[in-house]
Amino acid sequence: KAKRDEHVRVLYLEVGCNGMFGNGGGLIGPPKEDRKFALSTADLVVYNDDAWALYYDMEILAAMAKDLQDSPRGWQALVAANDIINEFSVGDQKSIKTALNISAKFFAAQGGQGNHQVYAIGNCHIDTAWLWPYDETKRKIARSWSTQLDYMDRYPEYRFAASQAQQFEWLRTLYPSLFKRIQEKVKTGQFIPIGSTWIEMDCNIPSGESLARQFLLGQRFFKQHFGQTCDVFWLPDTFGYSSQLPQIVRLAGAKYFFTQKLSWNNINKFPHTTFQWAGLDGSSVLTHMAPANTYTAQVTVSDLIKSVKQHKDVAYSNESLYLYGNGDGGGGPLEAMIERLERIKDVDGLPRIKHAHPNEFYEHVEKTARDLVTWKGELYFELHRGTYTSQARTKQYNRQAELLLRDVEMLSVVAQSVAHGFA
């Protein structure tokens, strides 16, 4: 907000010469060097709080009327929406106030304590390397996370999780003042460093030692800069999960696992939502896959309904995680998503939903779930299979580099021991 003595405010617009998914032809085409973009309009407007509040109310009412057609609550939503339309008059601020009273009465009816509980966490999954240069990844991080810091000031209950120590390191180096603001929000519990690893990595091609170093370096970074390690191995977007991971996760000090990609299987649908995943040595981690089947949810009524209907273990654990916010290329939750969540957090006809730290979800599952199954061995992803047969030379060199690094490290330890008289 502007101060009384602030007569001039300078605004900066950052414009990237690329589309939503890079600067190539289609999803994976090479860059088009002569591609041009134009900024056509930019408007400064006065924000009408009541009008926007009514807009968000109507979004939820319309969605409930559509998605709950066979229930009394759906019909009640339709009646409330119709009453608002009859009351509303364009340009009449008083009619907006009256309409808000109608929607408030509808949302005042709360659900029962036995309703499914959804734990919502904002996130903006950012692929460290995909359809844009590394420099664009670094800018995406700064843009996305600075926006979330603003939301934290405006919505005290809001929680946002971000993974990948490498991205935090880029931010610390290139945007030190922004990194310090994040450290402050970590202390309040609103900004949640998560994941345990250096990046969100592939888990099939790398060697076991490579995976171990992911956790070693990641946990070390989070401890050094945030005073805490991560309990959750956070990997929503990778193409399969090696059977050695539960052991490595446990040895790294984590005990929970979240992923999403297995819900994309195109032949055999994975049969569980919340379960214990056991590795080669018998180590196990409590695992959950959000039943909304996405890590870029938009906070919609239909998503909440899916969180119940698609939960394969709801008989044994009546709760689920819900990851919302624009992702892959960053961005994160929008103000509209947070506003919608506020309206549906405890309303009759829908599951209850609340802002929460992922740890809160897992800890509650540990205490209340019963008869969870144990899945032993690899979690095989039945899609994107070509990623493991393409670019064979790159993969060959990666394995050769891993073996060379192992040899160099062993020899360096021997040399250091000799130098200190420990031969």
Side-chain angles (χ1 to χ4, degrees):
K1 293 183 178 180
K3 300 177 182 177
R4 286 185 175 274
D5 58 349
E6 186 180 7
H7 302 296
V8 177
R9 172 168 291 192
V10 179
L11 302 176
Y12 294 92
L13 295 178
E14 181 179 7
V15 180
C17 191
N18 51 265
M20 180 69 74
F21 294 105
N23 191 22
L27 269 181
I28 59 174
K32 295 182 178 180
E33 300 296 340
D34 61 345
R35 191 172 182 180
K36 294 180 173 62
F37 296 83
L39 177 64
S40 56
T41 60
D43 297 323
L44 288 176
V45 300
V46 177
Y47 192 91
N48 187 325
D49 290 319
D50 287 341
W52 277 103
L54 182 59
Y55 173 80
Y56 296 135
D57 286 355
M58 285 295 288
E59 274 194 317
I60 299 301
L61 289 170
M64 291 183 68
K66 176 184 177 182
D67 296 325
L68 299 174
Q69 292 183 21
D70 297 329
S71 74
R73 197 60 174 152
W75 284 107
Q76 292 166 13
L78 182 61
V79 169
N82 190 63
D83 289 345
I84 288 173
I85 293 299
N86 290 336
E87 181 63 38
F88 176 74
S89 178
V90 176
D92 184 357
Q93 190 71 19
K94 184 178 179 181
S95 73
I96 295 178
K97 294 280 190 182
T98 304
L100 284 172
N101 290 332
I102 297 172
S103 59
K105 183 177 180 180
F106 175 87
F107 291 123
Q110 298 180 337
Q113 290 300 308
N115 281 8
H116 187 80
Q117 178 68 65
V118 178
Y119 295 74
I121 179 68
N123 81 117
C124 63
H125 175 66
I126 301 176
D127 286 313
T128 299
W130 192 27
L131 300 175
W132 42 81
Y134 279 126
D135 285 344
E136 185 62 24
T137 303
K138 298 168 186 176
R139 291 188 288 267
K140 285 176 179 289
I141 297 163
R143 291 195 299 264
S144 301
W145 294 358
S146 61
T147 300
Q148 305 313 311
L149 291 173
D150 175 58
Y151 291 151
M152 291 172 196
D153 291 335
R154 294 158 55 191
Y155 301 96
E157 294 182 355
Y158 176 55
R159 300 290 182 269
F160 175 82
S163 63
Q164 309 192 74
Q166 174 63 78
Q167 296 186 4
F168 283 97
E169 174 61 15
W170 278 332
L171 195 77
R172 187 184 71 86
T173 304
L174 299 173
Y175 304 90
S177 61
L178 183 56
F179 185 78
K180 289 181 180 178
R181 289 176 60 197
I182 286 177
Q183 287 179 310
E184 293 171 0
K185 290 300 183 182
V186 170
K187 293 178 182 178
T188 68
Q190 288 182 279
F191 199 109
I192 303 167
I194 203 166
S196 307
T197 55
W198 188 254
I199 63 168
E200 291 183 9
M201 67 288 192
D202 175 71
C203 293
N204 281 325
I205 289 178
S207 65
E209 185 58 35
S210 175
L211 296 176
R213 297 304 173 95
Q214 284 281 350
F215 286 90
L216 176 66
L217 298 177
Q219 293 283 50
R220 181 184 294 171
F221 181 92
F222 292 128
K223 180 66 175 179
Q224 178 181 353
H225 295 286
F226 302 115
Q228 61 190 45
T229 55
C230 304
D231 289 333
V232 182
F233 174 35
W234 185 270
L235 195 63
D237 183 21
T238 199
F239 303 162
Y241 312 86
S242 166
S243 56
Q244 61 190 324
L245 277 170
Q247 179 182 10
I248 297 174
V249 170
R250 280 291 190 173
L251 291 173
K255 53 184 177 178
Y256 309 127
F257 177 43
F258 174 83
T259 189
Q260 184 57 63
K261 212 73 169 186
L262 285 181
S263 67
W264 293 15
N265 279 8
N266 63 352
I267 297 178
N268 300 295
K269 293 299 182 183
F270 193 76
H272 300 292
T273 297
T274 305
F275 59 99
Q276 296 286 348
W277 181 26
L280 294 173
D281 72 329
S283 299
S284 66
V285 289
L286 179 59
T287 301
H288 180 76
M289 295 190 293
N293 286 355
T294 180
Y295 51 84
T296 57
Q298 302 292 295
V299 188
T300 63
V301 169
S302 62
D303 274 348
L304 285 192
I305 295 173
K306 290 177 184 176
S307 292
V308 180
K309 289 187 174 181
Q310 297 179 171
H311 196 308
K312 300 179 179 70
D313 300 289
V314 72
Y316 313 109
S317 177
N318 193 26
E319 48 204 336
S320 60
L321 269 178
Y322 182 73
L323 277 63
Y324 68 99
N326 297 324
D328 286 339
L334 304 177
E335 178 179 347
M337 300 178 193
I338 303 173
E339 289 285 348
R340 287 197 292 269
L341 196 153
E342 177 64 24
R343 284 156 176 78
I344 59 178
K345 61 183 180 182
D346 190 5
V347 59
D348 187 33
L350 294 175
R352 292 177 296 156
I353 183 170
K354 65 177 181 179
H355 299 284
H357 191 302
N359 284 8
E360 181 184 350
F361 163 76
Y362 283 101
E363 289 167 0
H364 197 261
V365 169
E366 280 186 318
K367 295 176 181 178
T368 62
R370 55 183 293 271
D371 300 330
L372 294 180
V373 303
T374 297
W375 183 276
K376 298 181 180 179
E378 178 187 9
L379 295 176
Y380 182 67
F381 180 49
E382 297 178 357
L383 198 67
H384 300 346
R385 294 177 183 83
T387 57
Y388 294 107
T389 55
S390 65
Q391 309 297 326
R393 185 175 299 173
T394 299
K395 295 176 173 62
Q396 178 185 8
Y397 290 158
N398 180 77
R399 180 49 52 89
Q400 290 176 352
E402 286 180 335
L403 295 173
L404 286 171
L405 284 169
R406 181 198 64 182
D407 293 344
V408 169
E409 185 171 60
M410 288 192 298
L411 291 172
S412 68
V413 172
V414 172
Q416 188 178 38
S417 299
V418 172
H420 287 82
F422 296 122

